[in-house]
């Protein structure tokens, strides 16, 4: 166990910020992410559904947003 966690601690945590259609700001940490490319700088992150057929706020906001950074 100690050998395994020594390679992944400390784990960097990115924060993802979104705004809902109603203008509500949402800022959440994601512990599961990967760097896709450095030029242009792109990262990907993984999410879970909050319940079958329902998305958490971050994903719901990204799906309805016209653009994102």
């Amino acid at each position: 166990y100690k050998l395994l966690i020594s390679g992944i601690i400390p784990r960097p945590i990115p924060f993802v910020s979104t705004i809902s259609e109603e203008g509500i700001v949402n800022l959440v940490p994601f512990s599961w992410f990967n760097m896709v490319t450095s030029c242009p700088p792109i990262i990907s992150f993984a999410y879970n559904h909050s319940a079958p057929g329902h998305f958490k706020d971050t994903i719901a906001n990204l799906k309805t947003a016209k653009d994102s950074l």
Side-chain angles (χ1 to χ4, degrees):
Y1 176 79
K2 287 184 180 185
L3 177 63
L4 180 64
I5 65 168
S6 69
I8 58 174
I9 293 178
R11 175 183 289 176
I13 303 290
F15 285 90
V16 176
S17 175
T18 60
I19 301 175
S20 71
E21 289 182 316
E22 295 81 24
I24 299 169
V25 176
N26 183 41
L27 178 68
V28 294
F30 275 86
S31 61
W32 190 262
F33 74 101
N34 283 307
M35 186 171 125
V36 177
T37 179
S38 62
C39 189
I42 297 174
I43 63 167
S44 67
F45 61 90
Y47 67 93
N48 290 326
H49 295 281
S50 58
H54 298 293
F55 294 106
K56 292 185 177 181
D57 292 339
T58 301
I59 301 307
N61 294 345
L62 288 172
K63 289 174 87 54
T64 60
K66 292 184 174 34
D67 57 22
S68 60
L69 295 175

